[in-house]
Amino acid sequence: MNKNLNPNKIAVIGAGGVGATTAYALMVQGVGSEIVLIDVNKEKAEGEAMDLRHGASFVNPVDIYAGDYKDLADAKLIVITAGAAQKPGESRLDLVKKNTGIFKNIISSITEYNQEGILLVVTNPVDILTYLSYKISGFPANRVIGSGTVLDSSRFRSLLSKNCNIAASNVHGYIIGEHGDSEVPVWSLTNIAGTKIENYCPICNKGCTEHDLEEISDQVKNAAYEIIDKKGATFYAVALGVSRIARAILRDENAVLTVSSLMEGYYGIENMSLSLPTIINSKGIERVLELPLSEKEEKAFKDSAQHLKENIKELDI
C-alpha cells in the first residue's frame, strides 16, 4: 500500500440519503477512524457531519467532518454516492445519461488529488458507472469496485430466510450480473446448512414449488421499485452493504462479496463491469471467482451482459 495513504480513512462523495446513511453505518460499525463527507452542497455535508459527530460518545473513536476534494488525498477508500437519484417509475438504466456527465467531473476531481486509493461506486446504474470510472480514472481494475449485487444478494438471503424460517446468516446464495432488471439468481449454488436449496426444500415441510422460488427472485428484482414507490428512496440496506464492503477492504478480510468489477473474459465476457462472487481485501479485488453455473444461469448471465452492452454503446466511454 502507498505510504501516503491513511489505511483507516474513508471519503464519501455525496451527502444525500445514501451518502449520509453510509457514513452513519460506517461510524456505528466502527469501520474507519476518519471519514470525510464531500458534497456539492457544502452546508448539507457540514450539517450531516455535525449530526454524526454529536454521537461520538456512543461509538468507537472516529473523526467525521465535511471537506473538499483535496481532503481525500490520503483516503484509502473513496465511496461515490453522488448523482441523480432514481425516481418512481424510472429504471436504473434511465439514469445513465444524467449520471454519466456528473461522474466525468467527479472522477477527474478525485484523480487530481488521489491516484492510489480504491474507488467504490454506489451510484446507479452502478455497473455502467463502475466501468466508466475504470475507464476515466486510469486506475487498475482491482481498485475500481461497484457495490454491484451485494444488496441484491442480501435481499435474496433475507427473503429466503423469511420463507424458510432460517436465520439470514445461515442462508447462502448469490445474485449475479447486472444490479437491475436482468440480474440472475444463482439457485444452483444456493444452500442452507451446506445443503443445496433443491435438496433442502423437501425437508423444509413448506411444500415450496419452483413457482414459489421464482416469486422470490421476482421480489428481489423488484424490491427497489417497491420501496421507491412507498418511501421515495432506498438507503438503509445499501448503506449497510457499502459498510460491509468497506470493512472487507480496510480489515483485509478476503471476504467473498458480489461486487461489480471489470469483466476480463469471465464466462467469455469483456469490456464491461458486472457482479460475480469476488474475494475482497486491502488490495480491493483479489480475485473474481468463476464458479460453476448451470447452463441456464450462464446463459442468463450472458444475456445480462448483452443487455448492459447495448446501453454502454450509447455512451461516450
Side-chain angles (χ1 to χ4, degrees):
M1 190 195 76
N2 190 295
K3 292 181 180 179
N4 294 322
L5 296 182
N6 178 342
N8 291 301
K9 181 173 179 177
I10 303 170
V12 179
I13 300 175
V18 173
T21 310
T22 292
Y24 176 74
L26 293 167
M27 172 182 171
V28 169
Q29 295 186 349
V31 182
S33 59
E34 185 176 348
I35 301 169
V36 55
L37 291 176
I38 300 169
D39 196 281
V40 65
N41 183 343
K42 185 70 179 287
E43 284 197 354
K44 175 73 160 63
E46 288 173 346
E48 296 290 359
M50 286 176 64
D51 197 7
L52 289 165
R53 277 201 307 273
H54 293 167
S57 65
F58 307 124
V59 297
N60 292 332
V62 58
D63 182 17
I64 299 182
Y65 57 95
D68 299 306
Y69 280 100
K70 66 179 185 297
D71 295 301
L72 58 69
D74 60 341
K76 166 73 174 179
L77 178 63
I78 302 161
V79 181
I80 310 173
T81 70
Q86 189 175 354
K87 297 177 181 177
E90 186 176 42
S91 76
R92 295 180 181 94
L93 290 173
D94 288 334
L95 295 172
V96 172
K97 291 183 179 177
K98 283 190 281 187
N99 281 333
T100 295
I102 293 170
F103 254 63
K104 286 181 178 179
N105 291 328
I106 289 174
I107 300 300
S108 62
S109 297
I110 291 171
T111 55
E112 181 180 351
Y113 296 101
N114 187 326
Q115 297 181 2
E116 301 295 331
I118 294 170
L119 300 180
L120 175 52
V121 179
V122 183
T123 309
N124 279 317
V126 68
D127 303 295
I128 290 176
L129 293 178
T130 299
Y131 183 64
L132 178 71
S133 298
Y134 163 71
K135 295 288 284 185
I136 295 174
S137 68
F139 284 19
N142 66 293
R143 289 198 282 113
V144 183
I145 304 170
S147 53
T149 57
V150 167
L151 173 55
D152 308 82
S153 295
S154 180
R155 286 170 173 156
F156 187 48
R157 293 172 67 186
S158 172
L159 288 169
L160 280 171
S161 163
K162 184 178 179 182
N163 183 75
C164 301
N165 198 27
I166 295 288
S169 58
N170 295 123
V171 178
H172 303 282
Y174 302 119
I175 300 290
I176 62 172
E178 177 203 6
H179 172 56
D181 298 338
S182 68
E183 64 186 33
V184 182
V186 186
W187 286 109
S188 66
L189 299 178
T190 301
N191 74 84
I192 294 174
T195 304
K196 286 188 175 183
I197 195 71
E198 62 188 59
N199 297 323
Y200 187 83
C201 283
I203 62 174
C204 184
N205 298 322
K206 291 203 70 173
C208 287
T209 65
E210 188 173 336
H211 174 72
D212 294 320
L213 299 182
E214 286 176 359
E215 217 170 68
I216 288 173
S217 299
D218 287 341
Q219 287 176 39
V220 172
K221 182 176 69 176
N222 296 320
Y225 298 130
E226 186 176 353
I227 294 168
I228 290 168
D229 282 342
K230 291 178 183 296
K231 58 170 279 190
T234 66
F235 40 83
Y236 294 124
V238 67
L240 288 169
V242 173
S243 180
R244 179 68 190 92
I245 299 167
R247 188 166 79 246
I249 293 169
L250 268 61
R251 296 183 182 173
D252 197 26
E253 287 188 357
N254 285 324
V256 176
L257 299 167
T258 51
V259 296
S260 183
S261 67
L262 181 68
M263 295 290 97
E264 299 181 281
Y266 309 116
Y267 305 102
I269 297 167
E270 296 181 323
N271 300 322
M272 64 174 58
S273 294
L274 286 172
S275 290
L276 286 170
T278 303
I279 299 173
I280 301 295
N281 60 24
S282 61
K283 298 175 188 174
I285 292 170
E286 176 66 34
R287 182 184 169 202
V288 176
L289 302 177
E290 198 168 4
L291 300 176
L293 304 177
S294 71
E295 188 176 326
K296 180 181 177 182
E297 290 161 353
E298 185 169 338
K299 181 183 183 305
F301 181 73
K302 290 177 178 177
D303 288 346
S304 181
Q306 184 59 37
H307 175 65
L308 226 58
K309 185 176 289 185
E310 290 168 4
N311 287 274
I312 290 173
K313 281 180 183 177
E314 298 178 15
L315 304 175
D316 183 22
I317 298 179

